[in-house]
Amino acid sequence: SIRETISTFPASAFYQSRFTIQLAIEDNLLGATDEMNTYLLMVSAVLAGYSYPDEMSAVISVKRTAENDIEVAENERAGELTKAETAYIVSKETADRLEIQGDAEIKAIINEATAYADAITYRFDLIQKLFARQRELHGMTSGEFIDY
């Protein structure tokens, strides 16, 4: 009965899902005792004291190593993705900050240039008005005022 149960599983199940095999053995034994109208008190079935052929042990070891390497690579990949995402966010924030600073500097330069232009325009308007007033005050023509 135990051999029949074990024979239904592939060899890989002994290292991948041993607990499933143990449960199947328990179920099979309990079912067999029910059919025979006997009583069996079973706490659990534990698979112990068995070994694999050397070739299978070597293959299992290589497979487990490969699985561990895959898991490590996936974790490293996730770490590198996180690092890249962080670098992207930092770069984007830096670019946004530089854009805001650049816009502010452009506005400041434009405001300063506008203020200088306004001051120069105001000064020349004032000089023009003063010259016009002086010319009128002395009753001069434009040509006489220029010669003066």
Side-chain angles (χ1 to χ4, degrees), residues 121-133:
T121 301
Y122 176 76
R123 183 171 180 178
F124 279 110
D125 283 347
L126 183 64
I127 291 171
Q128 181 184 10
K129 287 178 185 173
L130 285 174
F131 284 161
R133 192 167 185 191

Side-chain angles (χ1 to χ4, degrees), residues 10-18 21 47 49-61 64:
S12 61
F14 283 87
Y15 68 90
Q16 289 178 333
S17 55
R18 188 178 312 166
I21 296 173
L47 292 176
Y50 66 92
S51 61
Y52 302 114
D54 290 340
E55 289 175 359
M56 187 171 177
S57 291
V59 169
I60 291 170
S61 177
R64 284 185 178 156

Side-chain angles (χ1 to χ4, degrees), residues 21-148:
I21 296 173
Q22 291 173 186
L23 290 177
I25 290 171
E26 288 177 18
D27 290 346
N28 193 335
L29 285 174
L30 290 172
T33 55
D34 271 355
E35 290 174 10
M36 298 166 72
N37 291 326
T38 58
Y39 176 74
L40 177 64
L41 175 62
M42 183 182 313
V43 176
S44 68
V46 177
L47 292 176
Y50 66 92
S51 61
Y52 302 114
D54 290 340
E55 289 175 359
M56 187 171 177
S57 291
V59 169
I60 291 170
S61 177
V62 168
K63 183 178 186 246
R64 284 185 178 156
T65 300
E67 288 171 343
N68 288 341
D69 290 347
I70 289 169
E71 188 174 337
V72 167
E74 287 173 347
N75 288 337
E76 287 175 352
R77 180 179 179 270
E80 291 300 319
L81 280 173
T82 301
K83 196 185 307 182
E85 288 170 352
T86 301
Y88 170 75
I89 290 169
V90 168
S91 297
K92 181 149 177 37
E93 287 178 0
T94 301
D96 290 346
R97 181 179 44 81
L98 290 173
E99 182 181 17
I100 290 168
Q101 284 178 340
D103 289 346
E105 287 179 18
I106 289 169
K107 286 178 184 173
I109 290 169
I110 289 171
N111 288 340
E112 185 178 353
T114 301
Y116 279 135
D118 289 348
I120 291 169
T121 301
Y122 176 76
R123 183 171 180 178
F124 279 110
D125 283 347
L126 183 64
I127 291 171
Q128 181 184 10
K129 287 178 185 173
L130 285 174
F131 284 161
R133 192 167 185 191
Q134 286 295 323
R135 186 179 56 84
E136 288 174 8
L137 203 84
H138 294 292
M140 298 180 186
T141 64
S142 295
E144 291 173 337
F145 185 75
I146 290 174
D147 290 339
Y148 170 71

